[in-house]
Amino acid sequence: MFADDSIKAAQLGGHSNNRKLLSIHKGMPTSDGAGVKLTRIIGSNSLSMLDPFLLLDCFESDNPDDYIAGFPTHPHRGFETVTYLLNGQMRHRDSKGNEGVIEAGGVQWMTAGKGILHSEMPEQSQGLLKGFQLWVNLPGSAKMMEPSYQEFSAAQVPLEKSDIGYQVRVIAGSTDLGTVGPVINPFSDPVYMDVNLLAQHSFKQQLVSDHAAFIYVISGQIDIGGEQLSANQLGILSEGEKVLVKGHTDSQFLLIAAKQMKEPVARYGPFVMNTQQEIEQAFADYRQGKFA
């Protein structure tokens, strides 16, 4: 496992056509909100961030006591949150009057911009809850934009089924076969795909060669350039024009990529800006009720 400074120096360091596996990371158990138990994969001591990705949490439980109190009202400024559910549902409400329910297979891409207050309450469905929240940085020029949402049900997220051993749910970006995800984002030009791959079959995907990219294995075991990546592991990919994944077993994984911001990052809790002065201003604005 690479140290953070090694990742910064080498995370996009190769120039081969196929991306390689640079490092492997496992998440750390933690809690957030009102004591919700989760696994923090990006945003931990092992991997503090991967520009532009600030945080990746996996929440998974069949015990309601692990999340019943949810994530009470809290602020955000300067970045985007992406919530994707595999099982269960998430009720949300914010200070701009938006509210609704994200259900299994659905996604919410929220641009916090200059500031928003919102709450999230996870719930089981058929005794299960599992999903991911990803934080994506915004460029300095967009950090004070008006907040906005993109929210899509499972039926609105395209599912590409191949006859060569895989299927992929496309949240953002375009597959090599031309299936396009519903999320539009000019800031980071993201790719977000949920791939199911059969053993002894392959999945390949073109990526912008210098965009940061990682794979998180939900279940099973895959092979990337001769290196294996197993369930509950995140693999950081080198730069390159495409990624080729082989199924060592039947597996499911997330493929996520985006443009790097390459800007200074100042962060404290729910605020991510470019300078410490901007962080202090965010706290002042929050205390003065400017997020309401």
Side-chain angles (χ1 to χ4, degrees), residues 66-88:
D66 288 344
Y67 56 83
I68 194 67
F71 303 90
T73 301
H74 56 282
H76 288 310
R77 172 180 281 184
F79 63 99
E80 302 181 285
T81 66
V82 186
T83 304
Y84 175 53
L85 289 185
L86 300 180
N87 305 105

PDB file of all heavy atoms in Angstrom, residues 66-88:
ATOM      1  N   ASP A  66     -27.735   0.459  13.590  1.00  0.00           N
ATOM      2  CA  ASP A  66     -26.498   1.028  13.059  1.00  0.00           C
ATOM      3  C   ASP A  66     -26.717   2.363  12.372  1.00  0.00           C
ATOM      4  O   ASP A  66     -25.759   3.107  12.162  1.00  0.00           O
ATOM      5  CB  ASP A  66     -25.853   0.063  12.060  1.00  0.00           C
ATOM      6  CG  ASP A  66     -25.243  -1.165  12.730  1.00  0.00           C
ATOM      7  OD1 ASP A  66     -25.054  -1.129  13.962  1.00  0.00           O
ATOM      8  OD2 ASP A  66     -24.954  -2.144  12.014  1.00  0.00           O
ATOM      9  N   TYR A  67     -27.964   2.674  12.003  1.00  0.00           N
ATOM     10  CA  TYR A  67     -28.185   3.889  11.217  1.00  0.00           C
ATOM     11  C   TYR A  67     -29.527   4.574  11.479  1.00  0.00           C
ATOM     12  O   TYR A  67     -29.882   5.526  10.792  1.00  0.00           O
ATOM     13  CB  TYR A  67     -28.084   3.557   9.719  1.00  0.00           C
ATOM     14  CG  TYR A  67     -29.027   2.473   9.282  1.00  0.00           C
ATOM     15  CD1 TYR A  67     -30.348   2.766   8.982  1.00  0.00           C
ATOM     16  CD2 TYR A  67     -28.604   1.155   9.211  1.00  0.00           C
ATOM     17  CE1 TYR A  67     -31.230   1.769   8.620  1.00  0.00           C
ATOM     18  CE2 TYR A  67     -29.479   0.152   8.841  1.00  0.00           C
ATOM     19  CZ  TYR A  67     -30.785   0.461   8.536  1.00  0.00           C
ATOM     20  OH  TYR A  67     -31.649  -0.525   8.181  1.00  0.00           O
ATOM     21  N   ILE A  68     -30.257   4.127  12.475  1.00  0.00           N
ATOM     22  CA  ILE A  68     -31.615   4.612  12.679  1.00  0.00           C
ATOM     23  C   ILE A  68     -31.667   6.127  12.902  1.00  0.00           C
ATOM     24  O   ILE A  68     -32.622   6.807  12.505  1.00  0.00           O
ATOM     25  CB  ILE A  68     -32.284   3.866  13.864  1.00  0.00           C
ATOM     26  CG1 ILE A  68     -33.806   4.113  13.858  1.00  0.00           C
ATOM     27  CG2 ILE A  68     -31.650   4.253  15.182  1.00  0.00           C
ATOM     28  CD1 ILE A  68     -34.525   3.511  12.682  1.00  0.00           C
ATOM     29  N   ALA A  69     -30.612   6.702  13.514  1.00  0.00           N
ATOM     30  CA  ALA A  69     -30.616   8.142  13.778  1.00  0.00           C
ATOM     31  C   ALA A  69     -30.219   8.958  12.554  1.00  0.00           C
ATOM     32  O   ALA A  69     -30.419  10.175  12.514  1.00  0.00           O
ATOM     33  CB  ALA A  69     -29.682   8.472  14.943  1.00  0.00           C
ATOM     34  N   GLY A  70     -29.641   8.301  11.545  1.00  0.00           N
ATOM     35  CA  GLY A  70     -29.361   8.940  10.270  1.00  0.00           C
ATOM     36  C   GLY A  70     -28.355  10.075  10.339  1.00  0.00           C
ATOM     37  O   GLY A  70     -27.481  10.137  11.209  1.00  0.00           O
ATOM     38  N   PHE A  71     -28.513  11.007   9.392  1.00  0.00           N
ATOM     39  CA  PHE A  71     -27.630  12.163   9.271  1.00  0.00           C
ATOM     40  C   PHE A  71     -28.490  13.418   9.420  1.00  0.00           C
ATOM     41  O   PHE A  71     -29.029  13.929   8.426  1.00  0.00           O
ATOM     42  CB  PHE A  71     -26.920  12.166   7.913  1.00  0.00           C
ATOM     43  CG  PHE A  71     -26.118  10.920   7.642  1.00  0.00           C
ATOM     44  CD1 PHE A  71     -26.702   9.827   7.004  1.00  0.00           C
ATOM     45  CD2 PHE A  71     -24.787  10.838   8.016  1.00  0.00           C
ATOM     46  CE1 PHE A  71     -25.977   8.679   6.739  1.00  0.00           C
ATOM     47  CE2 PHE A  71     -24.048   9.682   7.757  1.00  0.00           C
ATOM     48  CZ  PHE A  71     -24.649   8.602   7.125  1.00  0.00           C
ATOM     49  N   PRO A  72     -28.670  13.897  10.663  1.00  0.00           N
ATOM     50  CA  PRO A  72     -29.506  15.086  10.881  1.00  0.00           C
ATOM     51  C   PRO A  72     -28.973  16.293  10.117  1.00  0.00           C
ATOM     52  O   PRO A  72     -27.862  16.273   9.573  1.00  0.00           O
ATOM     53  CB  PRO A  72     -29.423  15.297  12.393  1.00  0.00           C
ATOM     54  CG  PRO A  72     -28.998  13.972  12.953  1.00  0.00           C
ATOM     55  CD  PRO A  72     -28.113  13.363  11.912  1.00  0.00           C
ATOM     56  N   THR A  73     -29.754  17.349  10.091  1.00  0.00           N
ATOM     57  CA  THR A  73     -29.442  18.531   9.293  1.00  0.00           C
ATOM     58  C   THR A  73     -28.001  19.001   9.507  1.00  0.00           C
ATOM     59  O   THR A  73     -27.555  19.212  10.647  1.00  0.00           O
ATOM     60  CB  THR A  73     -30.417  19.670   9.637  1.00  0.00           C
ATOM     61  OG1 THR A  73     -31.753  19.222   9.367  1.00  0.00           O
ATOM     62  CG2 THR A  73     -30.114  20.898   8.806  1.00  0.00           C
ATOM     63  N   HIS A  74     -27.286  19.170   8.395  1.00  0.00           N
ATOM     64  CA  HIS A  74     -25.885  19.589   8.434  1.00  0.00           C
ATOM     65  C   HIS A  74     -25.570  20.392   7.166  1.00  0.00           C
ATOM     66  O   HIS A  74     -26.255  20.251   6.155  1.00  0.00           O
ATOM     67  CB  HIS A  74     -24.954  18.373   8.549  1.00  0.00           C
ATOM     68  CG  HIS A  74     -25.148  17.363   7.462  1.00  0.00           C
ATOM     69  ND1 HIS A  74     -26.193  16.457   7.460  1.00  0.00           N
ATOM     70  CD2 HIS A  74     -24.440  17.112   6.335  1.00  0.00           C
ATOM     71  CE1 HIS A  74     -26.124  15.685   6.397  1.00  0.00           C
ATOM     72  NE2 HIS A  74     -25.071  16.066   5.681  1.00  0.00           N
ATOM     73  N   PRO A  75     -24.535  21.243   7.223  1.00  0.00           N
ATOM     74  CA  PRO A  75     -24.224  22.109   6.083  1.00  0.00           C
ATOM     75  C   PRO A  75     -23.168  21.496   5.155  1.00  0.00           C
ATOM     76  O   PRO A  75     -22.412  20.598   5.544  1.00  0.00           O
ATOM     77  CB  PRO A  75     -23.661  23.360   6.761  1.00  0.00           C
ATOM     78  CG  PRO A  75     -22.929  22.806   7.969  1.00  0.00           C
ATOM     79  CD  PRO A  75     -23.748  21.607   8.414  1.00  0.00           C
ATOM     80  N   HIS A  76     -23.129  22.001   3.918  1.00  0.00           N
ATOM     81  CA  HIS A  76     -22.046  21.716   2.975  1.00  0.00           C
ATOM     82  C   HIS A  76     -21.748  22.989   2.201  1.00  0.00           C
ATOM     83  O   HIS A  76     -22.653  23.785   1.918  1.00  0.00           O
ATOM     84  CB  HIS A  76     -22.437  20.623   1.974  1.00  0.00           C
ATOM     85  CG  HIS A  76     -22.507  19.245   2.550  1.00  0.00           C
ATOM     86  ND1 HIS A  76     -21.498  18.695   3.299  1.00  0.00           N
ATOM     87  CD2 HIS A  76     -23.465  18.283   2.452  1.00  0.00           C
ATOM     88  CE1 HIS A  76     -21.838  17.455   3.649  1.00  0.00           C
ATOM     89  NE2 HIS A  76     -23.029  17.191   3.162  1.00  0.00           N
ATOM     90  N   ARG A  77     -20.498  23.141   1.817  1.00  0.00           N
ATOM     91  CA  ARG A  77     -20.110  24.220   0.895  1.00  0.00           C
ATOM     92  C   ARG A  77     -18.871  23.786   0.115  1.00  0.00           C
ATOM     93  O   ARG A  77     -17.958  23.183   0.661  1.00  0.00           O
ATOM     94  CB  ARG A  77     -19.813  25.537   1.634  1.00  0.00           C
ATOM     95  CG  ARG A  77     -19.208  26.621   0.712  1.00  0.00           C
ATOM     96  CD  ARG A  77     -18.918  27.938   1.423  1.00  0.00           C
ATOM     97  NE  ARG A  77     -20.134  28.732   1.594  1.00  0.00           N
ATOM     98  CZ  ARG A  77     -20.173  29.953   2.110  1.00  0.00           C
ATOM     99  NH1 ARG A  77     -19.047  30.535   2.519  1.00  0.00           N
ATOM    100  NH2 ARG A  77     -21.313  30.595   2.220  1.00  0.00           N
ATOM    101  N   GLY A  78     -18.849  24.090  -1.187  1.00  0.00           N
ATOM    102  CA  GLY A  78     -17.622  23.997  -1.970  1.00  0.00           C
ATOM    103  C   GLY A  78     -17.363  22.695  -2.688  1.00  0.00           C
ATOM    104  O   GLY A  78     -16.317  22.550  -3.317  1.00  0.00           O
ATOM    105  N   PHE A  79     -18.305  21.730  -2.652  1.00  0.00           N
ATOM    106  CA  PHE A  79     -18.058  20.454  -3.322  1.00  0.00           C
ATOM    107  C   PHE A  79     -19.390  19.805  -3.675  1.00  0.00           C
ATOM    108  O   PHE A  79     -20.466  20.396  -3.496  1.00  0.00           O
ATOM    109  CB  PHE A  79     -17.208  19.538  -2.447  1.00  0.00           C
ATOM    110  CG  PHE A  79     -17.848  19.141  -1.143  1.00  0.00           C
ATOM    111  CD1 PHE A  79     -18.473  17.927  -0.992  1.00  0.00           C
ATOM    112  CD2 PHE A  79     -17.809  19.996  -0.047  1.00  0.00           C
ATOM    113  CE1 PHE A  79     -19.061  17.556   0.206  1.00  0.00           C
ATOM    114  CE2 PHE A  79     -18.388  19.640   1.156  1.00  0.00           C
ATOM    115  CZ  PHE A  79     -19.024  18.422   1.284  1.00  0.00           C
ATOM    116  N   GLU A  80     -19.331  18.572  -4.171  1.00  0.00           N
ATOM    117  CA  GLU A  80     -20.522  17.840  -4.575  1.00  0.00           C
ATOM    118  C   GLU A  80     -20.599  16.516  -3.823  1.00  0.00           C
ATOM    119  O   GLU A  80     -19.568  15.896  -3.542  1.00  0.00           O
ATOM    120  CB  GLU A  80     -20.508  17.571  -6.084  1.00  0.00           C
ATOM    121  CG  GLU A  80     -20.411  18.855  -6.894  1.00  0.00           C
ATOM    122  CD  GLU A  80     -20.420  18.614  -8.388  1.00  0.00           C
ATOM    123  OE1 GLU A  80     -19.393  18.171  -8.928  1.00  0.00           O
ATOM    124  OE2 GLU A  80     -21.456  18.898  -9.018  1.00  0.00           O
ATOM    125  N   THR A  81     -21.812  16.081  -3.517  1.00  0.00           N
ATOM    126  CA  THR A  81     -22.007  14.779  -2.891  1.00  0.00           C
ATOM    127  C   THR A  81     -22.797  13.893  -3.854  1.00  0.00           C
ATOM    128  O   THR A  81     -23.779  14.336  -4.456  1.00  0.00           O
ATOM    129  CB  THR A  81     -22.754  14.871  -1.550  1.00  0.00           C
ATOM    130  OG1 THR A  81     -24.094  15.318  -1.779  1.00  0.00           O
ATOM    131  CG2 THR A  81     -22.056  15.831  -0.598  1.00  0.00           C
ATOM    132  N   VAL A  82     -22.359  12.650  -3.966  1.00  0.00           N
ATOM    133  CA  VAL A  82     -23.000  11.688  -4.859  1.00  0.00           C
ATOM    134  C   VAL A  82     -23.444  10.492  -4.020  1.00  0.00           C
ATOM    135  O   VAL A  82     -22.609   9.791  -3.445  1.00  0.00           O
ATOM    136  CB  VAL A  82     -22.045  11.218  -5.963  1.00  0.00           C
ATOM    137  CG1 VAL A  82     -22.786  10.341  -6.969  1.00  0.00           C
ATOM    138  CG2 VAL A  82     -21.379  12.398  -6.654  1.00  0.00           C
ATOM    139  N   THR A  83     -24.745  10.264  -3.941  1.00  0.00           N
ATOM    140  CA  THR A  83     -25.288   9.158  -3.163  1.00  0.00           C
ATOM    141  C   THR A  83     -25.868   8.132  -4.121  1.00  0.00           C
ATOM    142  O   THR A  83     -26.748   8.456  -4.939  1.00  0.00           O
ATOM    143  CB  THR A  83     -26.377   9.646  -2.199  1.00  0.00           C
ATOM    144  OG1 THR A  83     -25.835  10.678  -1.361  1.00  0.00           O
ATOM    145  CG2 THR A  83     -26.879   8.507  -1.324  1.00  0.00           C
ATOM    146  N   TYR A  84     -25.377   6.889  -4.008  1.00  0.00           N
ATOM    147  CA  TYR A  84     -25.818   5.794  -4.881  1.00  0.00           C
ATOM    148  C   TYR A  84     -26.189   4.609  -4.010  1.00  0.00           C
ATOM    149  O   TYR A  84     -25.391   4.172  -3.180  1.00  0.00           O
ATOM    150  CB  TYR A  84     -24.697   5.423  -5.856  1.00  0.00           C
ATOM    151  CG  TYR A  84     -25.002   4.223  -6.729  1.00  0.00           C
ATOM    152  CD1 TYR A  84     -26.162   4.167  -7.489  1.00  0.00           C
ATOM    153  CD2 TYR A  84     -24.109   3.155  -6.810  1.00  0.00           C
ATOM    154  CE1 TYR A  84     -26.433   3.067  -8.296  1.00  0.00           C
ATOM    155  CE2 TYR A  84     -24.368   2.056  -7.621  1.00  0.00           C
ATOM    156  CZ  TYR A  84     -25.546   2.024  -8.369  1.00  0.00           C
ATOM    157  OH  TYR A  84     -25.811   0.943  -9.161  1.00  0.00           O
ATOM    158  N   LEU A  85     -27.407   4.098  -4.189  1.00  0.00           N
ATOM    159  CA  LEU A  85     -27.909   3.024  -3.345  1.00  0.00           C
ATOM    160  C   LEU A  85     -27.996   1.706  -4.105  1.00  0.00           C
ATOM    161  O   LEU A  85     -28.465   1.659  -5.248  1.00  0.00           O
ATOM    162  CB  LEU A  85     -29.293   3.366  -2.806  1.00  0.00           C
ATOM    163  CG  LEU A  85     -29.392   4.460  -1.744  1.00  0.00           C
ATOM    164  CD1 LEU A  85     -30.823   4.569  -1.240  1.00  0.00           C
ATOM    165  CD2 LEU A  85     -28.445   4.203  -0.592  1.00  0.00           C
ATOM    166  N   LEU A  86     -27.557   0.635  -3.437  1.00  0.00           N
ATOM    167  CA  LEU A  86     -27.729  -0.720  -3.946  1.00  0.00           C
ATOM    168  C   LEU A  86     -28.938  -1.394  -3.311  1.00  0.00           C
ATOM    169  O   LEU A  86     -29.668  -2.137  -3.970  1.00  0.00           O
ATOM    170  CB  LEU A  86     -26.474  -1.561  -3.678  1.00  0.00           C
ATOM    171  CG  LEU A  86     -25.170  -1.075  -4.294  1.00  0.00           C
ATOM    172  CD1 LEU A  86     -24.044  -2.026  -3.926  1.00  0.00           C
ATOM    173  CD2 LEU A  86     -25.285  -0.938  -5.798  1.00  0.00           C
ATOM    174  N   ASN A  87     -29.136  -1.151  -2.014  1.00  0.00           N
ATOM    175  CA  ASN A  87     -30.273  -1.707  -1.273  1.00  0.00           C
ATOM    176  C   ASN A  87     -30.793  -0.651  -0.316  1.00  0.00           C
ATOM    177  O   ASN A  87     -30.048   0.204   0.146  1.00  0.00           O
ATOM    178  CB  ASN A  87     -29.866  -2.945  -0.457  1.00  0.00           C
ATOM    179  CG  ASN A  87     -29.206  -4.019  -1.273  1.00  0.00           C
ATOM    180  OD1 ASN A  87     -27.996  -4.188  -1.207  1.00  0.00           O
ATOM    181  ND2 ASN A  87     -29.982  -4.757  -2.053  1.00  0.00           N
ATOM    182  N   GLY A  88     -32.085  -0.723  -0.010  1.00  0.00           N
ATOM    183  CA  GLY A  88     -32.682   0.217   0.920  1.00  0.00           C
ATOM    184  C   GLY A  88     -33.056   1.518   0.250  1.00  0.00           C
ATOM    185  O   GLY A  88     -33.171   1.610  -0.983  1.00  0.00           O
TER     186      GLY A  88
END
